[in-house]
Coordinates of all heavy atoms in Angstrom, one line a residue:
M1 N -1.3 -0.1 -11.4 CA -0.4 -1.0 -10.6 C -1.0 -1.4 -9.3 O -1.7 -0.6 -8.6 CB 0.9 -0.2 -10.3 CG 1.7 0.1 -11.6 SD 3.4 -0.2 -11.0 CE 4.1 -0.6 -12.6
T2 N -0.7 -2.5 -8.8 CA -1.3 -3.1 -7.6 C -0.4 -2.6 -6.4 O 0.8 -2.6 -6.5 CB -1.2 -4.6 -7.7 OG1 -1.9 -5.0 -8.8 CG2 -1.9 -5.2 -6.4
S3 N -1.1 -2.3 -5.3 CA -0.4 -1.8 -4.1 C -0.6 -2.8 -3.0 O -1.6 -3.5 -3.0 CB -0.8 -0.4 -3.7 OG -2.1 -0.3 -3.2
I4 N 0.2 -2.8 -2.0 CA 0.0 -3.6 -0.8 C 0.3 -2.8 0.4 O 1.3 -1.9 0.4 CB 1.1 -4.8 -1.0 CG1 0.8 -5.9 0.1 CG2 2.5 -4.4 -0.9 CD1 1.5 -7.2 -0.3
P5 N -0.4 -3.1 1.6 CA -0.1 -2.3 2.8 C 1.3 -2.9 3.4 O 1.6 -4.1 3.4 CB -1.2 -2.7 3.7 CG -1.9 -3.8 3.1 CD -1.6 -3.9 1.7
V6 N 2.1 -2.0 3.8 CA 3.3 -2.2 4.4 C 3.4 -1.6 5.8 O 3.2 -0.4 5.9 CB 4.5 -1.8 3.6 CG1 5.9 -2.0 4.3 CG2 4.5 -2.2 2.2
R7 N 3.7 -2.5 6.9 CA 3.8 -2.0 8.2 C 5.3 -1.8 8.4 O 6.2 -2.8 8.4 CB 3.3 -2.9 9.2 CG 3.5 -2.5 10.7 CD 3.0 -3.5 11.6 NE 3.2 -3.1 13.0 CZ 4.5 -3.1 13.6 NH1 5.5 -3.5 12.9 NH2 4.5 -2.7 14.8
W8 N 5.8 -0.6 8.7 CA 7.1 -0.2 8.9 C 7.6 -0.5 10.3 O 6.8 -0.6 11.3 CB 7.4 1.2 8.5 CG 7.2 1.3 7.0 CD1 6.0 1.9 6.4 CD2 8.0 1.0 5.8 NE1 6.1 1.8 5.0 CE2 7.3 1.3 4.7 CE3 9.3 0.5 5.8 CZ2 7.8 1.1 3.5 CZ3 9.8 0.2 4.6 CH2 9.1 0.6 3.4
P9 N 9.0 -0.5 10.6 CA 9.4 -0.8 11.9 C 8.8 0.3 13.0 O 8.8 -0.1 14.2 CB 11.0 -0.5 11.9 CG 11.3 -1.0 10.4 CD 10.1 -0.4 9.7
D10 N 8.5 1.5 12.6 CA 8.0 2.5 13.5 C 6.5 2.3 13.8 O 5.9 3.1 14.5 CB 8.3 3.9 13.1 CG 7.7 4.3 11.8 OD1 6.9 3.5 11.2 OD2 7.8 5.4 11.4
G11 N 5.9 1.3 13.1 CA 4.4 1.0 13.3 C 3.6 1.7 12.3 O 2.4 1.3 12.2
R12 N 4.1 2.6 11.6 CA 3.3 3.3 10.5 C 3.0 2.2 9.4 O 3.7 1.3 9.1 CB 4.1 4.4 9.8 CG 3.5 5.7 10.2 CD 4.2 6.8 9.6 NE 5.7 6.8 9.8 CZ 6.6 7.4 9.3 NH1 6.3 8.4 8.3 NH2 7.9 7.3 9.7
I13 N 1.8 2.5 8.7 CA 1.3 1.6 7.6 C 1.2 2.5 6.5 O 0.5 3.6 6.6 CB 0.1 0.9 7.9 CG1 0.4 -0.1 9.1 CG2 -0.4 0.1 6.7 CD1 -0.8 -0.9 9.6
T14 N 1.8 2.1 5.3 CA 1.7 2.9 4.0 C 1.2 1.8 3.0 O 1.4 0.6 3.2 CB 2.9 3.5 3.6 OG1 4.0 2.5 3.3 CG2 3.4 4.6 4.6
H15 N 0.7 2.3 1.9 CA 0.4 1.4 0.8 C 1.5 1.6 -0.3 O 1.6 2.7 -0.8 CB -1.0 1.7 0.2 CG -2.1 1.2 1.1 ND1 -2.4 1.8 2.2 CD2 -2.7 0.0 1.1 CE1 -3.4 1.1 3.0 NE2 -3.6 0.0 2.2
E16 N 2.2 0.6 -0.6 CA 3.3 0.7 -1.7 C 3.0 -0.2 -2.8 O 2.3 -1.2 -2.8 CB 4.5 0.2 -1.0 CG 4.9 0.9 0.3 CD 5.2 2.4 0.1 OE1 5.5 2.8 -1.1 OE2 5.1 3.2 1.1
T17 N 3.5 0.3 -4.0 CA 3.3 -0.3 -5.2 C 4.2 -1.6 -5.3 O 5.3 -1.5 -5.0 CB 3.6 0.6 -6.4 OG1 2.8 1.8 -6.3 CG2 3.4 0.0 -7.7
I18 N 3.5 -2.7 -5.6 CA 4.3 -3.9 -5.8 C 5.3 -3.7 -7.0 O 4.9 -3.2 -8.1 CB 3.4 -5.1 -6.2 CG1 2.5 -5.4 -4.9 CG2 4.2 -6.3 -6.6 CD1 1.5 -6.4 -5.1
G19 N 6.6 -4.0 -6.7 CA 7.6 -3.8 -7.8 C 8.5 -2.6 -7.5 O 9.5 -2.4 -8.1
K20 N 8.1 -1.7 -6.6 CA 8.8 -0.5 -6.2 C 10.1 -0.8 -5.5 O 10.1 -1.8 -4.6 CB 7.9 0.4 -5.4 CG 8.6 1.7 -5.0 CD 7.8 2.5 -4.0 CE 6.9 3.6 -4.7 NZ 6.1 4.4 -3.8
D21 N 11.2 -0.2 -5.8 CA 12.4 -0.4 -5.0 C 12.1 -0.2 -3.5 O 11.5 0.8 -3.1 CB 13.5 0.5 -5.5 CG 14.0 0.2 -6.8 OD1 13.8 -1.0 -7.4 OD2 14.6 1.1 -7.5
W22 N 12.7 -1.1 -2.6 CA 12.5 -0.9 -1.2 C 13.1 0.4 -0.7 O 12.4 1.0 0.2 CB 13.1 -2.1 -0.5 CG 12.3 -3.2 -0.2 CD1 12.5 -4.5 -0.8 CD2 11.1 -3.3 0.5 NE1 11.4 -5.3 -0.4 CE2 10.5 -4.6 0.3 CE3 10.3 -2.3 1.2 CZ2 9.4 -5.0 1.0 CZ3 9.1 -2.8 1.7 CH2 8.6 -4.0 1.7
L23 N 14.2 0.8 -1.3 CA 14.9 2.1 -0.6 C 13.9 3.3 -1.0 O 13.7 4.2 -0.2 CB 16.2 2.3 -1.2 CG 17.2 1.3 -0.8 CD1 18.6 1.7 -1.4 CD2 17.3 1.3 0.8
V24 N 13.3 3.4 -2.2 CA 12.4 4.4 -2.5 C 11.1 4.3 -1.7 O 10.6 5.4 -1.2 CB 12.0 4.2 -4.1 CG1 10.9 5.3 -4.5 CG2 13.3 4.5 -4.8
A25 N 10.5 3.1 -1.5 CA 9.4 3.0 -0.7 C 9.7 3.5 0.8 O 8.8 4.1 1.4 CB 8.9 1.5 -0.7
A26 N 10.7 3.0 1.3 CA 11.1 3.4 2.7 C 11.3 4.9 2.8 O 10.8 5.6 3.7 CB 12.4 2.7 3.2
S27 N 12.0 5.5 1.9 CA 12.2 7.0 1.8 C 10.9 7.7 1.9 O 10.7 8.6 2.6 CB 13.0 7.4 0.7 OG 13.3 8.7 0.7
G28 N 9.9 7.3 1.0 CA 8.6 8.0 1.0 C 7.8 7.8 2.2 O 7.1 8.6 2.5
A29 N 8.1 6.8 3.0 CA 7.4 6.5 4.3 C 8.2 7.3 5.5 O 7.7 7.1 6.6 CB 7.3 5.0 4.5
G30 N 9.3 7.9 5.1 CA 10.0 8.5 6.2 C 11.0 7.6 6.9 O 11.4 7.9 8.0
I31 N 11.2 6.4 6.5 CA 12.1 5.5 7.0 C 13.5 5.4 6.4 O 13.6 5.4 5.1 CB 11.5 3.9 6.9 CG1 10.1 3.9 7.5 CG2 12.5 3.0 7.5 CD1 10.1 4.1 9.0
S32 N 14.5 5.5 7.3 CA 15.9 5.5 6.6 C 16.4 4.0 6.9 O 16.7 3.6 7.9 CB 16.8 6.5 7.4 OG 18.1 6.4 6.9
I33 N 16.7 3.4 5.7 CA 17.4 2.1 5.7 C 18.9 2.4 5.5 O 19.2 2.9 4.4 CB 16.8 1.2 4.6 CG1 15.3 0.9 5.0 CG2 17.5 -0.1 4.5 CD1 14.6 0.1 3.9
P34 N 19.7 1.9 6.5 CA 21.1 2.2 6.2 C 21.6 1.5 5.0 O 21.2 0.4 4.7 CB 21.8 1.6 7.5 CG 20.7 0.9 8.3 CD 19.4 1.2 7.6
T35 N 22.5 2.1 4.2 CA 23.2 1.4 3.1 C 24.6 1.6 3.2 O 25.2 2.5 3.8 CB 22.7 2.1 1.8 OG1 22.9 3.5 1.8 CG2 21.1 1.9 1.6
G36 N 25.3 0.7 2.5 CA 26.8 0.7 2.4 C 27.2 1.0 1.0 O 27.3 2.1 0.5
C37 N 27.3 -0.1 0.3 CA 27.8 0.0 -1.1 C 26.8 0.2 -2.2 O 27.1 0.5 -3.2 CB 28.5 -1.4 -1.4 SG 27.3 -2.8 -1.4
L38 N 25.6 0.0 -1.9 CA 24.4 0.2 -2.9 C 24.6 -0.8 -4.0 O 24.0 -0.7 -5.0 CB 24.3 1.6 -3.3 CG 23.8 2.7 -2.3 CD1 23.8 4.0 -2.9 CD2 22.4 2.3 -1.9
G39 N 25.3 -1.8 -3.8 CA 25.5 -2.9 -4.8 C 24.9 -4.2 -4.4 O 24.8 -5.1 -5.2
G40 N 24.5 -4.4 -3.2 CA 23.9 -5.7 -2.7 C 24.8 -6.6 -2.2 O 24.5 -7.7 -1.7
S41 N 26.2 -6.4 -2.1 CA 27.1 -7.4 -1.6 C 27.5 -7.2 -0.1 O 28.0 -8.1 0.4 CB 28.4 -7.4 -2.5 OG 29.0 -6.2 -2.4
C42 N 27.3 -6.1 0.4 CA 27.8 -5.8 1.9 C 26.7 -6.2 2.9 O 27.1 -6.5 4.1 CB 28.2 -4.4 2.0 SG 26.9 -3.2 2.0
G43 N 25.5 -6.2 2.7 CA 24.4 -6.5 3.6 C 24.0 -5.5 4.5 O 23.3 -5.7 5.4
A44 N 24.6 -4.2 4.4 CA 24.3 -3.2 5.3 C 22.8 -2.7 5.2 O 22.2 -2.3 6.2 CB 25.1 -2.0 5.0
C45 N 22.2 -3.0 4.1 CA 20.8 -2.6 3.9 C 19.8 -3.7 4.1 O 18.6 -3.6 3.7 CB 20.6 -2.1 2.4 SG 20.8 -3.4 1.2
E46 N 20.1 -4.7 4.8 CA 19.2 -5.8 5.0 C 18.0 -5.4 5.9 O 18.1 -4.8 6.9 CB 19.9 -7.0 5.6 CG 20.8 -7.7 4.6 CD 21.5 -8.9 5.2 OE1 21.6 -9.1 6.4 OE2 21.9 -9.7 4.4
I47 N 16.8 -5.9 5.4 CA 15.6 -5.7 6.2 C 14.9 -7.1 6.2 O 15.1 -7.9 5.4 CB 14.7 -4.7 5.5 CG1 14.3 -5.0 4.1 CG2 15.2 -3.3 5.8 CD1 13.3 -4.1 3.4
D48 N 14.0 -7.3 7.2 CA 13.2 -8.5 7.3 C 11.9 -8.2 6.9 O 11.2 -7.3 7.4 CB 13.2 -9.1 8.7 CG 14.5 -9.6 9.3 OD1 15.3 -10.1 8.4 OD2 14.7 -9.7 10.4
V49 N 11.5 -8.9 5.8 CA 10.1 -8.6 5.2 C 9.2 -9.9 5.5 O 9.6 -11.0 5.0 CB 10.2 -8.4 3.8 CG1 8.8 -8.1 3.1 CG2 11.0 -7.1 3.5
N50 N 8.3 -9.8 6.4 CA 7.5 -10.9 6.7 C 8.4 -12.1 7.2 O 8.2 -13.4 6.8 CB 6.6 -11.5 5.6 CG 5.4 -10.5 5.4 OD1 5.3 -9.5 6.1 ND2 4.5 -10.9 4.5
G51 N 9.4 -11.8 7.9 CA 10.3 -12.7 8.5 C 11.5 -13.3 7.5 O 12.3 -14.0 8.0
K52 N 11.5 -12.8 6.3 CA 12.5 -13.2 5.5 C 13.5 -12.0 5.1 O 13.1 -10.9 4.8 CB 11.9 -13.7 4.0 CG 12.9 -14.1 3.0 CD 12.3 -14.3 1.7 CE 13.3 -14.7 0.7 NZ 12.8 -14.9 -0.6
T53 N 14.8 -12.3 5.2 CA 15.8 -11.3 5.2 C 16.1 -11.0 3.7 O 16.3 -11.9 2.9 CB 17.1 -11.6 5.9 OG1 16.8 -11.9 7.3 CG2 18.2 -10.5 5.7
V54 N 16.0 -9.7 3.3 CA 16.3 -9.2 1.9 C 17.2 -8.1 2.0 O 17.3 -7.4 3.0 CB 15.0 -8.9 1.1 CG1 14.0 -10.1 1.0 CG2 14.3 -7.8 1.8
R55 N 17.9 -7.9 0.9 CA 18.7 -6.6 0.8 C 18.0 -5.6 0.1 O 17.7 -5.7 -1.1 CB 20.0 -6.9 0.1 CG 20.8 -7.9 1.0 CD 22.2 -8.1 0.5 NE 22.9 -9.0 1.4 CZ 24.1 -9.4 1.2 NH1 24.8 -9.1 0.2 NH2 24.7 -10.2 2.1
A56 N 17.7 -4.5 0.9 CA 16.7 -3.4 0.3 C 17.4 -2.7 -0.9 O 16.6 -2.2 -1.8 CB 16.5 -2.5 1.4
C57 N 18.7 -2.7 -1.0 CA 19.2 -2.0 -2.1 C 19.1 -2.6 -3.5 O 19.4 -2.0 -4.5 CB 20.7 -1.6 -1.8 SG 21.8 -3.1 -1.7
I58 N 18.8 -3.9 -3.5 CA 18.6 -4.7 -4.7 C 17.3 -5.4 -4.9 O 17.1 -6.2 -5.7 CB 19.8 -5.7 -5.0 CG1 19.9 -6.7 -3.8 CG2 21.1 -4.9 -5.1 CD1 20.9 -7.8 -4.0
S59 N 16.4 -5.1 -3.9 CA 15.1 -5.8 -3.9 C 13.9 -4.8 -4.1 O 14.1 -3.6 -3.8 CB 14.9 -6.5 -2.5 OG 15.9 -7.4 -2.4
T60 N 12.8 -5.5 -4.4 CA 11.5 -4.6 -4.6 C 10.5 -5.1 -3.8 O 10.5 -6.3 -3.3 CB 11.1 -4.7 -6.1 OG1 10.9 -6.0 -6.5 CG2 12.1 -4.1 -7.0
V61 N 9.5 -4.3 -3.6 CA 8.3 -4.6 -2.8 C 7.6 -5.8 -3.5 O 7.2 -5.7 -4.7 CB 7.3 -3.5 -2.7 CG1 6.1 -3.8 -1.9 CG2 8.0 -2.3 -1.9
P62 N 7.5 -6.9 -2.8 CA 6.9 -8.2 -3.4 C 5.4 -8.3 -3.2 O 4.8 -7.6 -2.3 CB 7.6 -9.3 -2.7 CG 7.7 -8.7 -1.3 CD 8.0 -7.3 -1.5
A63 N 4.7 -9.1 -4.0 CA 3.4 -9.5 -3.6 C 3.5 -10.5 -2.4 O 4.5 -11.0 -2.2 CB 2.7 -10.2 -4.9
S64 N 2.3 -10.6 -1.8 CA 2.4 -11.5 -0.6 C 1.0 -12.2 -0.6 O 0.0 -11.6 -0.8 CB 2.5 -10.7 0.7 OG 2.3 -11.5 1.8
K65 N 1.1 -13.5 -0.3 CA -0.2 -14.3 -0.1 C -1.1 -13.7 0.9 O -2.3 -13.8 0.9 CB 0.2 -15.8 0.2 CG 0.8 -16.5 -1.0 CD 1.1 -17.9 -0.7 CE 1.8 -18.6 -1.9 NZ 2.2 -19.9 -1.5
S66 N -0.4 -13.1 2.0 CA -1.2 -12.6 3.1 C -1.8 -11.3 2.7 O -2.5 -10.7 3.6 CB -0.4 -12.5 4.4 OG 0.7 -11.6 4.2
A67 N -1.5 -10.6 1.6 CA -1.9 -9.4 1.2 C -1.4 -8.3 2.1 O -2.0 -7.2 2.1 CB -3.4 -9.4 1.0
K68 N -0.3 -8.5 2.8 CA 0.2 -7.5 3.6 C 1.7 -7.8 3.9 O 2.0 -8.9 3.8 CB -0.5 -7.2 4.9 CG -0.5 -8.4 5.9 CD -1.4 -8.1 7.0 CE -1.6 -9.4 7.8 NZ -2.4 -9.3 9.0
L69 N 2.5 -6.7 4.1 CA 3.9 -7.0 4.5 C 4.3 -6.2 5.7 O 3.8 -5.2 6.2 CB 4.8 -6.4 3.4 CG 4.6 -7.0 1.9 CD1 5.4 -6.1 0.9 CD2 5.0 -8.4 1.9
S70 N 5.1 -6.9 6.5 CA 5.7 -6.3 7.7 C 7.2 -6.2 7.6 O 7.8 -7.2 7.4 CB 5.3 -7.2 8.9 OG 5.7 -6.6 10.2
V71 N 7.7 -5.0 7.8 CA 9.2 -4.8 7.7 C 9.8 -4.5 9.1 O 9.2 -3.7 9.8 CB 9.4 -3.6 6.8 CG1 10.9 -3.2 6.7 CG2 8.8 -3.9 5.3
E72 N 10.9 -5.1 9.3 CA 11.7 -4.8 10.6 C 13.1 -4.7 10.0 O 13.5 -5.3 9.0 CB 11.6 -6.0 11.5 CG 10.2 -6.2 12.0 CD 9.7 -5.0 12.9 OE1 10.5 -4.3 13.5 OE2 8.5 -4.9 13.0
F73 N 14.0 -4.0 10.8 CA 15.3 -3.9 10.6 C 16.0 -5.2 10.9 O 15.8 -5.8 12.0 CB 16.0 -2.8 11.3 CG 15.5 -1.5 10.9 CD1 14.9 -0.6 11.7 CD2 15.9 -0.9 9.6 CE1 14.4 0.7 11.3 CE2 15.4 0.3 9.2 CZ 14.7 1.0 10.1
A74 N 16.8 -5.8 10.0 CA 17.5 -7.0 10.3 C 18.7 -6.8 11.2 O 19.2 -5.7 11.3 CB 18.0 -7.6 9.0
T75 N 19.0 -7.8 12.0 CA 20.2 -7.6 12.8 C 21.2 -8.6 12.4 O 20.9 -9.9 12.1 CB 19.8 -7.9 14.4 OG1 19.2 -9.3 14.4 CG2 18.8 -7.0 14.8
D76 N 22.4 -8.1 12.3 CA 23.5 -8.9 11.8 C 24.7 -8.7 12.8 O 25.1 -7.5 13.0 CB 24.0 -8.4 10.4 CG 25.1 -9.2 9.9 OD1 25.9 -9.8 10.6 OD2 25.3 -9.2 8.6
P77 N 25.1 -9.7 13.5 CA 26.2 -9.6 14.5 C 27.5 -9.1 14.0 O 28.3 -8.5 14.8 CB 26.4 -11.0 15.0 CG 25.8 -12.0 13.9 CD 24.7 -11.1 13.3
H78 N 27.7 -8.9 12.6 CA 28.9 -8.4 12.1 C 28.8 -7.0 11.8 O 29.9 -6.4 11.5 CB 29.2 -9.2 10.8 CG 29.4 -10.7 10.9 ND1 30.4 -11.2 11.6 CD2 28.6 -11.7 10.6 CE1 30.4 -12.5 11.7 NE2 29.2 -12.8 11.1
W79 N 27.6 -6.4 11.9 CA 27.5 -4.9 11.7 C 27.4 -4.2 12.9 O 26.7 -4.2 13.8 CB 26.3 -4.6 10.8 CG 26.6 -4.9 9.3 CD1 26.3 -6.1 8.7 CD2 27.4 -4.2 8.4 NE1 26.8 -6.0 7.4 CE2 27.4 -4.8 7.2 CE3 28.0 -2.9 8.5 CZ2 28.0 -4.3 6.1 CZ3 28.6 -2.4 7.4 CH2 28.6 -3.1 6.2

């Protein structure tokens, strides 16, 4: 399987398998992504991946043209 470097909000970089669930990847990196319903409809688990907001509970680590990913916690004024 192909892996990709991921820079996490705390500055750490890990190599994650493309297609791995975001919550599993984050947990393995020691990052806690808040979750609510674990079904994808509430938005509590949103993260920004290379500037695009995704819901970590229903998304996987994608391939990237830049061959690297940068993850930040998304900010939602409703949470």
Side-chain angles (χ1 to χ4, degrees):
M1 294 217 152
T2 305
S3 68
I4 190 165
V6 176
R7 182 187 174 281
W8 297 98
D10 65 359
R12 250 183 304 170
I13 296 175
T14 61
H15 285 80
E16 302 298 337
T17 303
I18 292 171
K20 181 186 266 186
D21 290 339
W22 271 119
L23 292 178
V24 173
S27 178
I31 302 294
S32 178
I33 297 175
T35 57
C37 65
L38 291 177
S41 62
C42 71
C45 65
E46 288 183 337
I47 55 175
D48 290 335
V49 180
N50 287 4
K52 180 181 176 188
T53 301
V54 298
R55 292 189 177 177
C57 65
I58 59 170
S59 300
T60 60
V61 176
S64 171
K65 289 180 183 178
S66 68
K68 60 185 174 182
L69 299 172
S70 179
V71 174
E72 296 296 333
F73 292 114
T75 55
D76 183 336
H78 301 290
W79 282 98

